[in-house]
Amino acid sequence: MTDAPLVLGIETSCDETGVGLVRGTTLLADAVASSVDEHERFGGVVPEVASRAHLEAMVPTLERACAVAGVRLDDVDAIAVTAGPGLAGALLVGDAAAKALALALGKPLYGVNHLAAHVAVDQLEHGALPEPSLALLVSGGHSSLLLVPDVTADVRPLGQTLDDAAGEAFDKVARVLGLPFPGGPHIDRVAREGARDAIDFPRGLSGPRESAPDAEHRFDFSFSGLKTAVARWVEERERAGAQVPVADVAASFQEAVVDVLTAKAVRAAREHGVRDVVLGGGVAANSRLRVVAEERCAAAGLRLRVPRPGLCTDNGAMVAALGAELVARGRLPSSLDHPADSAMPVTQVLA
Ligand code: KG4
Ligand code: ZN
């Protein structure tokens, strides 16, 4: 793969400034600067703070990626950047940087979809993505089930969240339990000491009627009812002057999320005749999700692919991975005046 094109990937859709360098399907560098600490006291990502942090981190992160890979910007053959979806101001920083580099270096530019990039990144670890694959993407910003016949050109949404994203639910429940932001890793940790069946929290859009073959939302998710149920349960305990069993609440909440995500992913794969399931997004780092997904996929005769946690959360390597695949398949680059699109539809891989 030493003669494959060298692709630079830039990601700035949320609070991570990511710069990745990929040659073919080989990862050479994955530099990430996160502004998560600056958002902690607000309990969520503040768009303006994220945009400013991207601006400050862009050049140092680019330099760090090149140093790690032992390459110079002149060596880059193509540039890929997240064109959407994401926070508008944050996307603009990465998109403008990528356009400036493409123009200055005279190299093709690929403005790519963030969700397709979350799927493509798995190629860096587990080799060529089987076609079709079924992707379950769960993060602070998205929860989607995708049928992926071709990650460079054909991505079809089967379902998504109707309200909170899965990671958002983790973050909000963590807050109710007095755990720091972002809450997902803390719930994951605390839940290990708790009983998963201590409290029977609701499984959104998973009743017999909502799961019927013709039900409109059978592959969609809803986590706001679960989040409210947890908050109410905790409030009642506190009002009664009783101690809140934090580990049990965390474990029972986590189980409800994991149960719904894995059940729907397995059902979607089977119904669409897909053998390979890919997990992505920050919540894919969840230890219980990884275990249950593995168990349920194995029981259903499906193969599961999960990138390591650092490649599941937002990063530049995923953008470079998709860019490299677009180059390998001879797809035409984006125009230099393509817009950063905060609402870029999942069906659009390339801007
Ligand atoms: O993909 P990501 O880094 O950023 C976007 O939101 O796009 O995902 C961050 C989300 C946060 O909501 C965080 O709480 C969640 O992923 N997360 C986890 C875990 N690690 C990160 N959720 C559950 N369990 C984890 N171990
Ligand atoms: Zn993401």
Side-chain angles (χ1 to χ4, degrees):
M1 271 297 179
T2 48
D3 53 351
L6 177 66
V7 180
L8 173 79
I10 298 180
E11 153 64 34
T12 62
S13 70
C14 192
D15 57 341
E16 265 93 31
T17 312
V19 178
L21 281 157
V22 165
R23 196 184 281 288
T25 56
T26 305
L27 177 61
L28 302 180
D30 178 24
V32 177
S34 177
S35 61
V36 69
D37 294 347
E38 293 175 55
H39 307 287
E40 183 174 356
R41 67 193 170 102
F42 303 106
V45 175
V46 182
E48 282 310 312
V49 174
S51 305
R52 181 178 293 265
H54 286 310
L55 213 49
E56 289 167 359
M58 181 54 65
V59 172
T61 312
L62 262 170
E63 287 171 347
R64 195 148 49 88
C66 287
V68 169
V71 302
R72 298 174 342 147
L73 282 174
D74 291 357
D75 300 327
V76 168
D77 296 301
I79 296 158
V81 62
T82 301
L87 302 171
L91 286 168
L92 274 176
V93 178
D95 204 50
K99 285 172 179 171
L101 284 169
L103 196 62
L105 300 169
K107 295 294 154 75
L109 174 67
Y110 295 81
V112 306
N113 190 299
H114 180 83
L115 298 182
H118 266 304
V119 181
V121 74
D122 189 61
Q123 299 207 134
L124 301 179
E125 284 212 303
H126 301 119
L129 200 67
E131 295 180 329
S133 289
L134 190 288
L136 171 65
L137 300 185
V138 276
S139 76
H142 25 262
S143 306
S144 312
L145 266 180
L146 308 173
L147 178 63
V148 188
D150 175 349
V151 74
T152 65
D154 187 4
V155 177
R156 304 177 199 172
L158 299 179
Q160 61 190 332
T161 182
L162 302 183
D163 37 62
D164 293 345
E168 208 177 342
F170 270 93
D171 296 340
K172 288 177 177 170
V173 164
R175 198 170 180 169
V176 166
L177 294 176
L179 300 169
F181 173 83
H186 297 283
I187 296 220
D188 194 347
R189 175 177 48 80
V190 169
R192 283 172 211 187
E193 312 298 323
R196 299 192 283 267
D197 57 357
I199 308 150
D200 188 17
F201 285 130
R203 269 75 168 152
L205 301 178
S206 296
R209 205 156 45 92
E210 292 140 324
S211 306
D214 57 347
E216 188 185 352
H217 296 302
R218 58 200 316 263
F219 294 135
D220 288 328
F221 304 107
S222 168
F223 297 111
S224 86
L226 169 61
K227 171 195 70 188
T228 308
V230 175
R232 208 169 286 147
W233 195 95
V234 170
E235 269 166 32
E236 272 169 28
R237 270 294 173 115
E238 285 171 342
R239 208 174 306 127
Q243 217 186 356
V244 176
V246 172
D248 285 349
V249 175
S252 301
F253 157 76
Q254 178 172 271
E255 199 63 12
V257 175
V258 167
D259 183 20
V260 173
L261 292 175
T262 53
K264 293 203 180 208
V266 167
R267 199 178 330 127
R270 297 189 73 160
E271 275 185 30
H272 286 85
V274 179
R275 294 274 325 266
D276 295 271
V277 176
V278 189
L279 291 192
V283 181
N286 184 267
S287 60
R288 182 71 186 148
L289 176 60
R290 294 169 92 100
V291 168
V292 176
E294 190 61 63
E295 283 171 5
R296 289 189 173 174
C297 281
L302 305 171
R303 291 180 293 242
L304 180 69
R305 297 161 64 110
V306 195
R308 65 180 152 82
L311 293 180
C312 285
T313 50
D314 290 350
N315 63 79
M318 67 192 220
V319 180
L322 179 53
E325 191 60 28
L326 286 158
V327 171
R329 297 204 182 199
R331 306 270 179 236
L332 289 180
S334 309
S335 128
L336 260 187
D337 63 0
H338 77 258
D341 181 359
S342 63
M344 191 172 185
V346 65
T347 48
Q348 185 189 356
V349 174
L350 201 52

